[in-house]
Structure formats: structure tokens, C-alpha cells
């Protein structure tokens, strides 16, 4: 069969929008505590923002460069943009309705009320005016538009007020723009009549009701909020990036001037103001989105973070392995056997403790690490700085092109260089996405390598929100391979030699195809071929074709793909043996876990890579085996509940759509809650004690 037939593939962008629909569905789900539903709605809005900034803007560029180009599923870019507009208009409308008719009502019932100005009592209005004068007015900058004052630049995701004015002294109409400051809370607090209530007013409404303070002597004829989304993707050319740090820094500064790709407006915006904004932003009518809810629902994160424990998930109590807590230094439990951590169920503290101890341990000679997303407050990097200041050889691969973390990473790169660390970067057209830590320690007369490999970032904040596996080991073969990895990143190795690691962009694709084909051969010879994969995205055409062929050979394939999936399951004669599920829950399912072979004898792997062309061809990624019995047990006991979830699980249908997993005969099964309960039963969570001081 011709597995390159376009009808066998689901478009990546449309599949991603289906994923965001599932996020919105979680916001509707009354099984979640109220503020968690508000959080899901904020995530939906934030996801859409990034989708327009990166994916839609890229399609516009592709359309300009090649008007008749097609996607892998055969759809032309122009037609794809039409489909995206239709779906995103519907999603934004659904999100607005959910907020306005459901969540806002339930929030008010719970004592968290978003008020309008005309709903305030006189006392509350006085309080609001005082807050405006003291905390808002000094920050505002009104910008008039006339022949002397050109239309101002509107930054990405900025919320603004289009203000219509009338000058009675000369009888002329005026137009001005007032930016709603991002430094102020979107939901301004109001001193309510009752202590137990938390009342808020939208910042744009508070400003709008006090515009006379900004335009004294002028009549306010209208005030209308609007919001702009711009192209925010970096445009780096390899031949222009001899100094990559300077090039990325320059592009980050320039990025704010990207072309507008979406305009969000109030449904009450007058037609002449609408046309003015469309003309000034050079944007099509189809890219204008009306809303009856507050613009930019990602700002609901502020409301979702309210200190109302009864409206949120129970507090997360994390586990620290007993083998770790009972030792006097962080290296001894690793020498006793591999340690597998499953975040956020397991604490990230062991990794940070290991780094902090290594930074001051005189036996440690070198520390090497890859950094992709460390965040703005990175304890891991501070440990690396201390290690460099203590005279250890510190080598750090920092990915300057980690999207939206570029500024943080530039700052950390400079801080590490000032401390004396060796800092190096990937090429302009390649990203280093692998997560690896290598510590070289002198023990007696020999050197021992300690390795940490992970599916997630060295970021303590996301380690409490994302599910990821990490392996701590001093296995000599893995140590040699990770040393080879760092040498290839910092030097000019064209053909690095790996024993057990499979590293992209050179060997990971071939390894995956080989593993899939092994199961197909097993099935063809009468054995039981089986593949399990849990990942964030599956859109690589070569991998999909290999899975189709394996399915036709009888291989049982079970896929959990959280986000976009280009493979169509359950197609007669093509993918009858493939099942695809997507799982959403309290934590963001982020780990990449792969098993090849029948249960009990499977090869088990963890990876930093999803099955996407960018991961396999344009990134440095690592696939590593898990062989230790204890580590395999940790992974397997957490994978099993994922296959039977009925709360956040969605079955993918052959046409690319999704439906909720079928209701069970008994109680609903929540995979993440089951893992939390399993962790609580399997091992106690001892209090982490400080390591003995280093002599």
C-alpha cells in the first residue's frame, strides 16, 4: 500500500487545535475544583496566543513565499489558513461563552466577583478612584493620533483602549490610544462591602471610567478595548550568526516589531474604529476576532491563583526516595544503583542537592550540563556559578534559541561566563534540546562519572507541574556516552561514537525506525510484536509510515500522544492495530517513554525527543535505555494507569477527531490520582535532611 497517500495524515495545525479544544473541555468539566477550571481556560487562551505568534505567523510567511505550497496531508496553505480561522473563531467564541455564562457566575457564587463600574456602591467607587489615582494614573501614557502624532506602535499581546474624544473648543473629534500597563494586575482589587468577598474590576474598565483625568477639558465619546498578536518567531540566518549570542539578543529586541497576525476587539467596537485599526495594522478582516468576554483570557491565571484552598486541587506532597534520604552524601545512593525519579510525584530536590553538593565538593573535578529552559530564577545555574568560582571545570551548553526563554538564557550565559565557566551554543539552525548532566569525581585512585538524564528541563518550577522521568546513574557506559555528547557539543566532532545512547540529528531517527521494524519482524515470524509510546507530539511522516507498516504486520501499537498527532488510528487495512489516546490532567503530561516488545521482555527507553521532524532532524536529542530493575519498575508502575484513565483521556478517531474515553462500569479512573496514591502507598516520603558538610 502507498503509505504516502495524503489522506492518511492529519494536518499538524488542525490536530493542535483539536488538542486545545480538549484543554477547553477540561475547563468545562465540573469534576475539577472551580479555580482549576479557570486555570484550564487561562491555559487555553495562552495556548492560542502562542499558536498565532508562531504557527499562524509561519503559515503567513509560507503563503507569501509559495502561494500554492501544500502540507503533508495535501491541503494548500491558503485553504489551511481558512480552516484555522474558522476553528479559532469558534474556539474563542466558546471560551468567551464559558467564561461569561458559567465560570464568572460560579466565581461570583464563591465570593470572587468581577464587577462592572455601574455595579459599585458609592463607597466602592471612591475606593476604586483612590486606587486609580495612587497606583494606576502615574503609570499611564496617553498617545494622541493626529498629523503631528503618528499612530503608535502596538506591542505583542498588549491590551489597549481606543479612545474617541471631542474637543469642544474647536469642535473637532480626536482619537487616542491608552495602553493598559502590563505591570499592573489585570483584575484590580476593590474594597468590597463584605470582608469574605474578593471583588475585582477589569483594569481597562477602571481606566476607561477615569479617562477625564488623562484628557482634561475633552469630552470622552467612547472607549473600546483591543488587543494585538504579532509574529514572534526568531529569524536567524546561519551565515549572519557568527556571534550567536549577539545575534539572538538582537533578534529578541527586534521581535516585538513582527507583523500583526490577529486583532481582538470588543463586540461593541464601532465600525470606523475597527477599520482604522485594520488599516493601521495592515491586517485582514478575517483576522479580526470579536469577543463578549474580557480580551486575553490568559490573564485569568491571576484569578486562578487566588488563595482559596477549597477551590483548588489538594496540595502536592512530593516523595523523596528512601535510598536518597538515608545516605550521608548524594553520590552514595547512585553508587548503590540507578535512581529513577518521576516528577512531580518525586521531588526535584535530589537533583538540586546533587548540584549544590558537587559545587563545593573538593573531589568533584568537572560539571557539564545542557540547559534549555532554566527559567528566570534558576537554582541549578546558581550552583554552576558557585562551582566555577570554586575552581571546578564547568562547561554548559545553553540553548539561546529556546523559544520565549531567549532573554533568560542570554542573562544566564553571561553570568556563567563571568564566573569562569565554559559556555557554548548550538548552531543557528540546530537546537540542543537534550537534558543531560555529567559530574566527574575523583574517588580514590580513579575517576567516576555521575550522570543525570531526563525527559524534562532543569527548571524547579515546571518540575512541580510537568510529568517527567529522570535517571541518575554512574553506569560507566552511559558515562562514556554522555562525555562523548558534551565533547561533540563543545568541539568539532563529526562522527561521535556512542555505545548505548541514540542521539539526534544523526542517529535517533534511524534507531526509532529500527526498533519499529524489529517488532514488525517479530510479528511476521509469528511472535507478538508490541509498541508502546507516550509523547507530546507525533507528526513525522517517516515514523508514521513505519507504524502503519508495523500495524499491517500485526504489531499491537498503543500510543498516548498529548498534543498533535498526524497518524490516523483504526483505519481498515492500514492502522487497525493502532490505538491513540490523549491524556490531560492536573499535571502536564510531558515525559517521552517508549517500550518495544511483549510485556515482561520489552526494551524500555526514555527520551528528550518527540516524534517530529524538528526533533529528529534539527535538534540535539537523546534516547537512552532503562535497564535497572528498580528503575523499570518505577516507570512501569506509572505507565499502567495511563492506559485506563477515564477522566482526562480522549480516544482519537480515524477522521482525526477525539471523543472522551468511554465511561467505566465502576468509578472513574484518574491516572494521575492513581499514581499519586501509588506513590503514597509504595514508599514513605521522608523529610529531606541536609547532606553532611563537605570537609
Amino acid at each position: 500500500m502507498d503509505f504516502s497517500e495524503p489522506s492518511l495524515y492529519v494536518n499538524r495545525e488542525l490536530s493542535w487545535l483539536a488538542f486545545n479544544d480538549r484543554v477547553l473541555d477540561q475547563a468545562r468539566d465540573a469534576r475539577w475544583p472551580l479555580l482549576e477550571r479557570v486555570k484550564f481556560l487561562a491555559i487555553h487562551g495562552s495556548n492560542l496566543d502562542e499558536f498565532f505568534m508562531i504557527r499562524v505567523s509561519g503559515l503567513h510567511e509560507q503563503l507569501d513565499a509559495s502561494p500554492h505550497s501544500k502540507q503533508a496531508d495535501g491541503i494548500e496553505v491558503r485553504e489551511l489558513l481558512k480552516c484555522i480561522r474558522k476553528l479559532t473563531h469558534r474556539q474563542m467564541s466558546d471560551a468567551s461563552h464559558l467564561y461569561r455564562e458559567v465560570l464568572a457566575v460560579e466565581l461570583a457564587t464563591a465570593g470572587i466577583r468581577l464587577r462592572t463600574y455601574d455595579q459599585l456602591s458609592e463607597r466602592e467607587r471612591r475606593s476604586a478612584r483612590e486606587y486609580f489615582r495612587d497606583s494606576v494614573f502615574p503609570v499611564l501614557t496617553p498617545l494622541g493620533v493626529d498629523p503631528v502624532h503618528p499612530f503608535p506602535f502596538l506591542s505583542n499581546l498588549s491590551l489597549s483602549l481606543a479612545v474617541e474624544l471631542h474637543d469642544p473648543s474647536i469642535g473637532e473629534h480626536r482619537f487616542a490610544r491608552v495602553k493598559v500597563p502590563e505591570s499592573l494586575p489585570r483584575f484590580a482589587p476593590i474594597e468590597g462591602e463584605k470582608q469574605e468577598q474578593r471583588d475585582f474590576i477589569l483594569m481597562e474598565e477602571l481606566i476607561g471610567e477615569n479617562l477625564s483625568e488623562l484628557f482634561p477639558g475633552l469630552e470622552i465619546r467612547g472607549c473600546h478595548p483591543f488587543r494585538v498578536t504579532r509574529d514572534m518567531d526568531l529569524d536567524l540566518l546561519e551565515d549572519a550568526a557568527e556571534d550567536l549570542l549577539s545575534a539572538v539578543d538582537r533578534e529578541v529586541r527586534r521581535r516585538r516589531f513582527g507583523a500583526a497576525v490577529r486583532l481582538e476587539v470588543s463586540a461593541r467596537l464601532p465600525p470606523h474604529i475597527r477599520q482604522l485599526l485594520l488599516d493601521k495594522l495592515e491586517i485582514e478582516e478575517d483576522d479580526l476576532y470579536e469577543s463578549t468576554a474580557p480580551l486575553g483570557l490568559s490573564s485569568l491565571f491571576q484569578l486562578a491563583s487566588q488563595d482559596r484552598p477549597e477551590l483548588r486541587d489538594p496540595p502536592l506532597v512530593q516523595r523523596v526516595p528512601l535510598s536518597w534520604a538515608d545516605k550521608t552524601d548524594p553520590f552514595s545512593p547512585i553508587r548503590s544503583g540507578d535512581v529513577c525519579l518521576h516528577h512531580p510525584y518525586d521531588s526535584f530536590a535530589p537533583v538540586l542537592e546533587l548540584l549544590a553538593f558537587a559545587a563545593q565538593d573538593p573531589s568533584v573535578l568537572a560539571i557539564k550540563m545542557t540547559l534549555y529552559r532554566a527559567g528566570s530564577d534558576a537554582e541549578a545555574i546558581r550552583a554552576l556559578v558557585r562551582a566555577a568560582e570554586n575552581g571546578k571545570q564547568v562547561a554548559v551548553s545553553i540553548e539561546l534559541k529556546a523559544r520565549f526563554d531567549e532573554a533568560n538564557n542570554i542573562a544566564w550565559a553571561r553570568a556563567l561566563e563571568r564566573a569562569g565557566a565554559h559556555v557554548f551554543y548550538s548552531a543557528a539552525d540546530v537546537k540542543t534540546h537534550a537534558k543531560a548532566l555529567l559530574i566527574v569525581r575523583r574517588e580514590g585512585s580513579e575517576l567516576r562519572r555521575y550522570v543525570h538524564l531526563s525527559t524534562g528541563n532543569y527548571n524547579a518550577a515546571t518540575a512541580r507541574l510537568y510529568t517527567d522521568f529522570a535517571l541518575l546513574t554512574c553506569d560507566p557506559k552511559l558515562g562514556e556516552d554522555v562525555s562523548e555528547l558534551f565533547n561533540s557539543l563543545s568541539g568539532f566532532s563529526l562522527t561521535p561514537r556512542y555505545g548505548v545512547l541514540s542521539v539526534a540529528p544523526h542517529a535517533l531517527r534511524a534507531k526509532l525506525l529500527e526498533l519499529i521494524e524489529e517488532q514488525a519482524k517479530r510479528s511476521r515470524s509469528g511472535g507478538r510484536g508490541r509498541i508502546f509510546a507516550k509523547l507530546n507530539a507525533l507528526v513525522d511522516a517517516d515514523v508514521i509510515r513505519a507504524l502503519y507498516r508495523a500495524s499491517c504486520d500485526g504489531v499491537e501499537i498503543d500510543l498516548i500522544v498529548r498534543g498533535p498527532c498526524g497518524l490516523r488510528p483504526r483505519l481498515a487495512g492500514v492502522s487497525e492495530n493502532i490505538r491513540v489516546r490523549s491524556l490531560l490532567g492536573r499535571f502536564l503530561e510531558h515525559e517521552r517513554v517508549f517500550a518495544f516488545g511483549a510485556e515482561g521482555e520489552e526494551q524500555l527507553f526514555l527520551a528528550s525527543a518527540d516524534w517530529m521532524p524538528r526533533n529528529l532532524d534539527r535538534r540535539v536529542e537523546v534516547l537512552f535505555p532503562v535497564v535497572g530493575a528498580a528503575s523499570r519498575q518505577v516507570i512501569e508502575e506509572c505507565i499502567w494507569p495511563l492506559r485506563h484513565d477515564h477522566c482526562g483521556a480522549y480516544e482519537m478517531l480515524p477522521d482525526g477527531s477525539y471523543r472522551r474515553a468511554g465511561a467505566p462500569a465502576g468509578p472513574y479512573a484518574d491516572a494521575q490520582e492513581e499514581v499519586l496514591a501509588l506513590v503514597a502507598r509504595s514508599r514513605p516520603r521522608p523529610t529531606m535532611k541536609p547532606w553532611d558538610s563537605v570537609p
Side-chain angles (χ1 to χ4, degrees), residues 480-502:
E480 290 176 7
D481 275 11
V482 174
S483 288
E484 187 77 12
L485 171 68
F486 279 104
N487 289 341
S488 69
L489 290 173
S490 62
F492 295 104
S493 175
L494 295 179
T495 55
R497 297 157 296 181
Y498 298 108
V500 291
L501 292 184
S502 299

Side-chain angles (χ1 to χ4, degrees), residues 35-48:
L35 291 183
E36 301 303 328
R37 296 171 65 193
V38 174
K39 178 197 71 177
F40 276 115
L41 187 56
I43 292 171
H44 176 270
S46 178
N47 285 348
L48 266 187

Side-chain angles (χ1 to χ4, degrees), residues 302-319:
Q302 181 190 339
L303 290 186
S305 64
Q306 294 297 301
D307 186 18
R308 294 286 300 274
E310 74 279 13
L311 302 178
R312 306 189 65 179
D313 285 326
L316 172 64
V317 180
Q318 295 180 295
R319 173 181 63 182

